[in-house]
Amino acid sequence: MNPVTLLPFIVLIGAMFLMTRSAKKKQAAAANMRNEMQPGTGVRTIGGMYATVKELHDDSVLLEIAPGVHAVYAKNSIGAVLDDAEYNRIVHGDDEEELDVDGAVVPDDASSLTELDDAHEDADADDDAEAKIDLGKKAEADDAEPAESQADKKSDGKSDGEADAK
């Protein structure tokens, strides 16, 4: 048999091998992540629900969905195990990064953010006069015929699409 005819089959088998190998690696990583869960860690299910692990069993997990609300899920339904900072940021809205931004203080009144110096106001007034756009009708639009006179020009009162055929 000619090796050239076997080449497509060899390439196909090689591609299948590589795809199954990468899928097995992903499955192994997911199983390892699920096995590393401990009570008290935050998780996200494959359905997108965030919860806290309360108890671990062989094939199931007891999750606390809300304070005092518990549900039993299969271990395979856990999509991601989250670290504490990420879980608190998502579930509780704790943004430690936003709270400590170079000591910047946000004022209670937004008017202090919009006030300008007198020099800036004068310069802005000159720029505004030049930058204004005229949204009115243009002179060419005034010269155009009114819609009524255009309708009068239609012959025999026929609308578009009507023909003389009977």
Side-chain angles (χ1 to χ4, degrees), residues 91-125:
V91 175
H92 303 296
D94 296 343
D95 287 336
E96 296 174 5
E97 298 168 4
E98 285 185 19
L99 296 177
D100 189 26
V101 180
D102 299 331
V105 177
V106 178
D108 292 335
D109 186 15
S111 63
S112 64
L113 299 174
T114 58
E115 294 175 358
L116 298 174
D117 295 340
D118 291 335
H120 292 333
E121 288 178 5
D122 294 337
D124 289 342

Side-chain angles (χ1 to χ4, degrees), residues 2-138:
N2 191 358
V4 175
T5 58
L6 292 176
L7 186 63
F9 295 112
I10 294 171
V11 169
L12 182 64
I13 292 170
M16 289 174 53
F17 172 74
L18 290 175
M19 286 190 295
T20 56
R21 184 174 154 214
S22 65
K24 284 182 182 179
K25 283 185 177 179
K26 288 180 183 178
Q27 286 177 351
N32 187 26
M33 175 219 27
R34 290 182 188 114
N35 289 334
E36 291 178 0
M37 283 189 301
Q38 296 177 358
T41 59
V43 296
R44 183 183 66 235
T45 65
I46 58 174
M49 183 182 64
Y50 293 93
T52 305
V53 176
K54 287 297 175 184
E55 294 178 12
L56 290 167
H57 303 286
D58 292 335
D59 293 333
S60 63
V61 179
L62 180 68
L63 299 179
E64 184 177 29
I65 301 166
V69 180
H70 298 89
V72 177
Y73 278 81
K75 270 192 177 178
N76 291 338
S77 67
I78 304 300
V81 176
L82 307 172
D83 59 348
D84 291 336
E86 184 178 4
Y87 180 76
N88 289 331
R89 181 183 60 82
I90 294 170
V91 175
H92 303 296
D94 296 343
D95 287 336
E96 296 174 5
E97 298 168 4
E98 285 185 19
L99 296 177
D100 189 26
V101 180
D102 299 331
V105 177
V106 178
D108 292 335
D109 186 15
S111 63
S112 64
L113 299 174
T114 58
E115 294 175 358
L116 298 174
D117 295 340
D118 291 335
H120 292 333
E121 288 178 5
D122 294 337
D124 289 342
D126 294 337
D127 292 341
D128 289 342
E130 295 174 8
K132 287 186 179 177
I133 299 173
D134 184 23
L135 298 176
K137 291 185 178 180
K138 295 187 178 189

